[in-house]
Amino acid sequence: MRSLDEAINAGQSGADGGRWVIRGGRLLSADAEPVVVDLVIDGERVAAVEPAGTADAGPVFDAAGLDIAPGAIDLHVHLRDPGQTHKETVETGTAAAAAGGTTLVCDMPSTQPQVTTVDRYVAKRDAWTGRAAVDYALWAGGTDPDQLRGMAAAGAVGVKIYMATSPGFDQLYSPDDTAVRRVLRVSAELGWAVSVHAGDQAASDAHRAELIRAGRRTPADVLAVTRGPGNLAGLRSVLTAATDLRQPVHLAHLSAYGTAALDEFVRARAEFPRLTAESCFPALSEEEDLPRLGVYALPTVFSAAARDRFVDAIADGTIDAIATDHAPHTRDEKDPGRHDAWAAPPGYPALETSLPLAYDALLAGRLDPRRFVDALAGAPARILGLARKGRIAPGCDADLVLLDPAGSWRVDESTMHSLVGWSPLHGRELRGRLVATYLRGRSIARGGDIMYPGGGQFVRRSTGRAVAAGGPGSTEKVPGAAERRSS
Ligand code: NCD
Ligand code: ZN
């Protein structure tokens, strides 16, 4: 039996792209207790899960003592490419993903130009080709039904609705209930995902103006607006619209709006169970981190009580998915916020620490292994309609992570991959250590080092009515020529 190091150093699927075995690792899954198994990989796919010590198809690598889990799927990232590549690029953002155990990212349409038309969607999709270290899906944006239909045909997994606006989002904006409902109706026809940035622009603007008039400009004042009555009213109205139209919606960054938003969501879901929500894994505290980090901790930072509620909600499945809202800004952009918090854009890099934070919670007994897997991978795959992603089972893509429960590490922003070069978690000690990340059978990262950049592929829905090519069961890339034809 060969050491796992040999498999990882080979840079790819153990041997030569054929069959190989990861022996004796503890498989974490969403629907069963952890169990020590042999995992048989064949090329890009999982071929079989067999009793430990029994599989011998091809080279065998020793994973004794390690946990095996599906790679994370992040429903909500801003990789800034094209348009703001001084903050992040496809290469740097997906390297951060790979190094952190995320094997699929779903990028928001707030890149520049904003992704509101088929032409822009196709241009962005094609511009990413051959550059990503992990697989990727792309959200569509805007409100024009014809463009939305065209973007679905070009491979969009869903649409992001913005009920708030600011310079980078102005064309993505759904300004009122009529616009929101129009997108929901088109979405019912397309069968794709709908992610909503909830808000009420006029109410939030008025709240902000009132605070500024009163001379208020601390990070806590910014948080008061983020968690304020405007965003809660927006949240209520989209939950009502979704329930009226029986069209599932997924709430983006519920954690940013605080515990009142969680209460609203729980109420609405009791009436319409197909609503879903995401949260980052709670990491930053108002008591300790906010005073030290200031605007670098915005937008999502938790009081001790809120942190407990959100961790509980992730742990009991109230919140379906862990998603980062990875939103890098440079220090130069953040720094003006030291004196006037309104002057800094909200957002921080989070991709490289997302799965590691959840694994730390698992090892601390705060997160059950089943929920760890479902929140990071299973639920996002279901929401995006990706049949071969998000779980380790025969026929699925071999996207997985190997984790050492006995290890530990300290977050160090100087060695991380996001282009902005800082992390709000710098210095944090975390239990567990990510040993390796595999994408479709190939080792793409070992610890913090990227082994194989550029192998990530565009992924489209394999379920729902929005499948334009490939058919049910396929989450494969579709070659550029075919995609251009479909748009
Ligand atoms: C995001 C950004 O910077 O793009 N900011 C943030 O606060 N996370 C935008 C967003 O999702 O609101
Ligand atoms: Zn976002």
Side-chain angles (χ1 to χ4, degrees), residues 90-91 94 124-134 136 452-458 477:
V90 174
E91 287 83 357
T94 59
K124 176 176 176 178
R125 186 195 69 194
D126 291 352
W128 281 43
T129 303
R131 299 170 55 201
V134 300
Y136 52 94
Y452 185 74
Q457 297 180 345
F458 178 71
K477 68 154 195 249

CSV table of all heavy atoms in Angstrom, one decimal, residues 90-91 94 124-134 136 452-458 477:
chain,number,residue,atom,x,y,z
A,90,VAL,N,-10.3,35.1,-11.2
A,90,VAL,CA,-10.7,33.7,-11.2
A,90,VAL,C,-9.6,32.8,-10.6
A,90,VAL,O,-9.9,31.9,-9.8
A,90,VAL,CB,-11.0,33.3,-12.7
A,90,VAL,CG1,-11.3,31.8,-12.8
A,90,VAL,CG2,-12.1,34.1,-13.3
A,91,GLU,N,-8.3,33.1,-11.0
A,91,GLU,CA,-7.2,32.3,-10.5
A,91,GLU,C,-7.1,32.4,-9.0
A,91,GLU,O,-7.0,31.4,-8.3
A,91,GLU,CB,-5.9,32.7,-11.2
A,91,GLU,CG,-5.8,32.4,-12.7
A,91,GLU,CD,-6.5,33.3,-13.6
A,91,GLU,OE1,-7.1,34.3,-13.1
A,91,GLU,OE2,-6.4,33.1,-14.9
A,94,THR,N,-10.4,31.1,-7.0
A,94,THR,CA,-10.5,29.6,-7.0
A,94,THR,C,-9.4,28.9,-6.3
A,94,THR,O,-9.5,27.8,-5.8
A,94,THR,CB,-10.8,29.1,-8.4
A,94,THR,OG1,-9.7,29.4,-9.2
A,94,THR,CG2,-12.1,29.6,-9.0
A,124,LYS,N,-18.8,36.3,-19.9
A,124,LYS,CA,-18.2,35.9,-18.6
A,124,LYS,C,-17.8,34.5,-18.5
A,124,LYS,O,-16.7,34.1,-18.1
A,124,LYS,CB,-19.1,36.3,-17.4
A,124,LYS,CG,-18.6,36.0,-16.0
A,124,LYS,CD,-19.5,36.5,-14.9
A,124,LYS,CE,-19.0,36.0,-13.6
A,124,LYS,NZ,-19.9,36.5,-12.5
A,125,ARG,N,-18.8,33.6,-18.9
A,125,ARG,CA,-18.6,32.2,-18.9
A,125,ARG,C,-17.4,31.8,-19.7
A,125,ARG,O,-16.5,31.0,-19.3
A,125,ARG,CB,-19.8,31.5,-19.4
A,125,ARG,CG,-19.9,30.0,-19.3
A,125,ARG,CD,-21.0,29.5,-20.2
A,125,ARG,NE,-20.6,29.7,-21.6
A,125,ARG,CZ,-21.5,29.6,-22.6
A,125,ARG,NH1,-22.8,29.3,-22.4
A,125,ARG,NH2,-21.1,29.8,-23.9
A,126,ASP,N,-17.3,32.3,-20.9
A,126,ASP,CA,-16.2,32.0,-21.7
A,126,ASP,C,-14.8,32.5,-21.2
A,126,ASP,O,-13.8,31.9,-21.4
A,126,ASP,CB,-16.4,32.4,-23.2
A,126,ASP,CG,-17.6,31.6,-23.8
A,126,ASP,OD1,-18.0,30.6,-23.2
A,126,ASP,OD2,-18.0,32.0,-24.9
A,127,ALA,N,-14.9,33.7,-20.6
A,127,ALA,CA,-13.6,34.3,-20.1
A,127,ALA,C,-13.1,33.5,-18.9
A,127,ALA,O,-11.9,33.6,-18.7
A,127,ALA,CB,-13.9,35.8,-19.7
A,128,TRP,N,-13.9,32.7,-18.3
A,128,TRP,CA,-13.4,31.9,-17.1
A,128,TRP,C,-12.7,30.6,-17.6
A,128,TRP,O,-12.1,29.9,-16.8
A,128,TRP,CB,-14.5,31.6,-16.2
A,128,TRP,CG,-14.9,32.7,-15.2
A,128,TRP,CD1,-15.0,34.1,-15.5
A,128,TRP,CD2,-15.2,32.6,-13.8
A,128,TRP,NE1,-15.4,34.7,-14.4
A,128,TRP,CE2,-15.6,33.9,-13.3
A,128,TRP,CE3,-15.3,31.5,-13.0
A,128,TRP,CZ2,-16.0,34.1,-12.0
A,128,TRP,CZ3,-15.7,31.7,-11.6
A,128,TRP,CH2,-16.0,33.0,-11.2
A,129,THR,N,-13.0,30.2,-18.8
A,129,THR,CA,-12.5,28.9,-19.3
A,129,THR,C,-11.0,28.7,-19.1
A,129,THR,O,-10.2,29.5,-19.5
A,129,THR,CB,-12.9,28.8,-20.8
A,129,THR,OG1,-14.3,29.0,-21.0
A,129,THR,CG2,-12.6,27.4,-21.3
A,130,GLY,N,-10.7,27.5,-18.5
A,130,GLY,CA,-9.3,27.1,-18.4
A,130,GLY,C,-8.5,27.9,-17.3
A,130,GLY,O,-7.3,27.7,-17.2
A,131,ARG,N,-9.2,28.7,-16.5
A,131,ARG,CA,-8.5,29.5,-15.5
A,131,ARG,C,-8.8,29.1,-14.0
A,131,ARG,O,-8.1,29.5,-13.1
A,131,ARG,CB,-8.9,30.9,-15.7
A,131,ARG,CG,-8.5,31.5,-17.1
A,131,ARG,CD,-9.1,32.9,-17.3
A,131,ARG,NE,-8.7,33.8,-16.3
A,131,ARG,CZ,-9.4,34.9,-16.0
A,131,ARG,NH1,-10.4,35.3,-16.7
A,131,ARG,NH2,-8.9,35.7,-15.0
A,132,ALA,N,-9.9,28.4,-13.8
A,132,ALA,CA,-10.3,28.1,-12.5
A,132,ALA,C,-9.7,26.8,-11.9
A,132,ALA,O,-9.6,25.8,-12.6
A,132,ALA,CB,-11.9,28.0,-12.4
A,133,ALA,N,-9.3,26.9,-10.6
A,133,ALA,CA,-8.8,25.7,-10.0
A,133,ALA,C,-9.9,24.7,-9.5
A,133,ALA,O,-9.7,23.6,-9.3
A,133,ALA,CB,-7.9,26.1,-8.8
A,134,VAL,N,-11.1,25.3,-9.4
A,134,VAL,CA,-12.3,24.4,-9.0
A,134,VAL,C,-13.4,24.6,-10.0
A,134,VAL,O,-13.4,25.6,-10.8
A,134,VAL,CB,-12.8,24.8,-7.6
A,134,VAL,CG1,-11.7,24.6,-6.5
A,134,VAL,CG2,-13.3,26.2,-7.5
A,136,TYR,N,-17.1,25.6,-11.3
A,136,TYR,CA,-17.8,26.9,-11.1
A,136,TYR,C,-19.2,26.9,-11.8
A,136,TYR,O,-19.3,26.3,-12.9
A,136,TYR,CB,-17.0,28.1,-11.5
A,136,TYR,CG,-16.5,28.0,-12.9
A,136,TYR,CD1,-17.2,28.6,-13.9
A,136,TYR,CD2,-15.3,27.4,-13.2
A,136,TYR,CE1,-16.7,28.6,-15.2
A,136,TYR,CE2,-14.8,27.3,-14.5
A,136,TYR,CZ,-15.5,27.9,-15.5
A,136,TYR,OH,-15.0,27.8,-16.8
A,452,TYR,N,-2.7,21.9,-8.8
A,452,TYR,CA,-3.2,21.8,-10.2
A,452,TYR,C,-4.2,22.9,-10.5
A,452,TYR,O,-5.4,22.7,-10.3
A,452,TYR,CB,-3.8,20.4,-10.4
A,452,TYR,CG,-4.2,20.2,-11.9
A,452,TYR,CD1,-3.2,19.9,-12.8
A,452,TYR,CD2,-5.5,20.2,-12.3
A,452,TYR,CE1,-3.6,19.7,-14.2
A,452,TYR,CE2,-5.9,20.0,-13.6
A,452,TYR,CZ,-4.9,19.7,-14.5
A,452,TYR,OH,-5.3,19.5,-15.8
A,453,PRO,N,-3.7,24.1,-10.9
A,453,PRO,CA,-4.6,25.2,-11.2
A,453,PRO,C,-5.2,25.0,-12.6
A,453,PRO,O,-4.6,24.2,-13.4
A,453,PRO,CB,-3.7,26.4,-11.2
A,453,PRO,CG,-2.4,25.9,-11.6
A,453,PRO,CD,-2.3,24.4,-11.1
A,454,GLY,N,-6.3,25.5,-12.9
A,454,GLY,CA,-6.8,25.6,-14.3
A,454,GLY,C,-7.7,24.4,-14.7
A,454,GLY,O,-8.1,24.4,-15.8
A,455,GLY,N,-7.9,23.4,-13.8
A,455,GLY,CA,-8.7,22.3,-14.3
A,455,GLY,C,-10.2,22.4,-14.0
A,455,GLY,O,-11.0,21.5,-14.3
A,456,GLY,N,-10.6,23.5,-13.4
A,456,GLY,CA,-12.1,23.7,-13.1
A,456,GLY,C,-12.9,23.9,-14.3
A,456,GLY,O,-12.5,24.4,-15.3
A,457,GLN,N,-14.1,23.3,-14.3
A,457,GLN,CA,-15.0,23.4,-15.4
A,457,GLN,C,-16.3,24.1,-15.1
A,457,GLN,O,-16.8,24.1,-13.9
A,457,GLN,CB,-15.3,22.0,-15.9
A,457,GLN,CG,-14.1,21.3,-16.4
A,457,GLN,CD,-14.4,19.8,-16.9
A,457,GLN,OE1,-15.5,19.3,-16.6
A,457,GLN,NE2,-13.4,19.3,-17.6
A,458,PHE,N,-16.9,24.7,-16.1
A,458,PHE,CA,-18.2,25.3,-16.0
A,458,PHE,C,-19.3,24.2,-15.8
A,458,PHE,O,-19.3,23.2,-16.4
A,458,PHE,CB,-18.5,26.1,-17.3
A,458,PHE,CG,-19.9,26.7,-17.3
A,458,PHE,CD1,-20.2,27.8,-16.5
A,458,PHE,CD2,-20.9,26.2,-18.1
A,458,PHE,CE1,-21.4,28.4,-16.5
A,458,PHE,CE2,-22.2,26.8,-18.2
A,458,PHE,CZ,-22.4,27.9,-17.4
A,477,LYS,N,-19.0,20.2,-18.2
A,477,LYS,CA,-18.8,21.4,-19.0
A,477,LYS,C,-19.4,21.1,-20.4
A,477,LYS,O,-19.4,19.9,-20.8
A,477,LYS,CB,-17.3,21.7,-19.1
A,477,LYS,CG,-16.6,20.6,-19.9
A,477,LYS,CD,-15.3,21.2,-20.5
A,477,LYS,CE,-14.9,20.2,-21.5
A,477,LYS,NZ,-13.7,19.5,-21.3
